[in-house]
């Protein structure tokens, strides 16, 4: 049974792959009816992260929904989403990475550069508000996470999320910047 807490932060330690699984279960029928295969690969023995699981679930639902729409826009009648969860190679004790990849229509450079702006959407009227990625970015920023986007027209999209294991300890363990990673920074390639 799911808990709903309204109006307050409800942070706890959670397994990222469990939150991903719950998110995907909500969209399972939509993926199946559109011929979209979803594969999740997670490294073994990943640490739990400290976050609000409902907000993290919203991030994953937003990414999965956008992937579904991008795949549907190809008009192929099928597609795939791959999600990888791993320790960040350059800082495996403090950060996890979640990579969402789809084989949808992809984004041109203007769309990619504006993707996190509130109310920016490429969807037709009534199909989207342009808030999903903006809200997701805000949620990640609250825990000092980041989102990077790689995409090109016809090549699908890849979203790299960097999540701290526990954002509360980032500054106590040394707040030096690691290999270009700025906490909460959006970097589109």
């Amino acid at each position: 049974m799911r808990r709903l807490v309204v109006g307050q932060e409800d942070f706890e330690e959670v397994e990222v792959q469990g939150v991903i699984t719950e998110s995907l279960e909500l969209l399972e029928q939509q993926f199946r009816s559109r011929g979209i295969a979803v594969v999740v690969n997670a490294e073994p023995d990943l640490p739990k992260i400290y976050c609000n699981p409902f907000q993290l679930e919203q991030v994953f639902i937003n990414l999965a929904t956008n992937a579904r729409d991008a795949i549907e826009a190809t008009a192929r009648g099928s597609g795939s989403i791959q999600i990888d969860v791993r320790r960040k190679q350059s800082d495996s004790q403090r950060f996890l990475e979640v990579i969402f990849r789809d084989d949808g229509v992809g984004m041109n450079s203007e769309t990619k550069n504006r993707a996190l702006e509130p109310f920016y959407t490429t969807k037709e009227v009534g199909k989207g508000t342009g808030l999903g990625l903006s809200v997701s970015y805000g949620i990640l920023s609250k825990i000092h996470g980041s989102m990077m986007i790689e995409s090109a027209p016809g090549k699908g999209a890849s979203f790299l999320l960097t999540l701290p294991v526990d954002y509360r300890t980032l500054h106590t363990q040394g707040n030096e910047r690691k290999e270009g990673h700025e906490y909460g920074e959006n970097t589109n390639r």
Side-chain angles (χ1 to χ4, degrees):
M1 178 125 199
R2 298 170 92 85
R3 285 184 303 145
L4 179 61
V5 177
V6 179
Q8 73 181 53
E9 293 294 336
D10 192 19
F11 284 70
E12 61 187 75
E13 289 187 347
V14 298
E15 293 181 354
V16 172
Q17 59 270 38
V19 178
I20 291 170
T21 299
E22 288 182 12
S23 303
L24 296 174
E25 286 173 356
L26 295 172
L27 299 169
E28 184 177 1
Q29 180 58 38
Q30 293 178 32
F31 292 141
R32 193 174 324 131
S33 68
R34 290 167 174 82
I36 298 172
V38 180
V39 176
V40 179
N41 302 305
E43 283 182 5
D45 303 318
L46 291 169
K48 292 181 177 183
I49 70 165
Y50 186 75
C51 68
N52 179 316
F54 303 108
Q55 290 180 352
L56 190 60
E57 182 178 71
Q58 186 63 55
V59 170
F60 298 145
I61 289 170
N62 289 343
L63 290 171
T65 300
N66 282 354
R68 177 204 65 202
D69 294 346
I71 291 168
E72 194 169 36
T74 67
R76 287 189 314 255
S78 66
S80 65
I81 299 170
Q82 180 176 331
I83 304 165
D84 297 309
V85 186
R86 64 186 185 206
R87 294 175 190 272
K88 183 174 180 175
Q89 288 182 340
S90 64
D91 201 347
S92 65
Q93 299 305 309
R94 298 191 316 158
F95 293 95
L96 296 182
E97 293 180 328
V98 179
I99 302 106
F100 264 76
R101 292 182 185 93
D102 68 64
D103 63 354
V105 294
M107 294 179 249
N108 63 32
S109 61
E110 179 188 358
T111 299
K112 189 172 58 172
N113 290 334
R114 297 189 62 198
L116 302 180
E117 291 179 17
F119 304 108
Y120 178 76
T121 184
T122 59
K123 297 174 185 173
E124 61 188 72
V125 175
K127 295 282 184 175
T129 62
L131 289 173
L133 290 177
S134 175
V135 166
S136 296
Y137 177 71
I139 290 168
L140 294 173
S141 294
K142 282 171 61 174
I143 60 168
H144 302 277
S146 65
M147 177 185 294
M148 293 173 40
I149 303 169
E150 287 187 46
S151 187
K155 303 287 185 186
S158 180
F159 290 82
L160 170 63
L161 311 181
T162 303
L163 307 172
V165 171
D166 188 340
Y167 72 90
R168 301 170 300 176
T169 64
L170 289 177
H171 296 290
T172 60
Q173 293 176 358
N175 63 9
E176 67 278 355
R177 305 296 186 196
K178 297 286 187 178
E179 295 183 22
H181 176 77
E182 295 290 324
Y183 303 126
E185 177 183 327
N186 165 45
T187 308
N188 295 325
R189 296 187 225 167

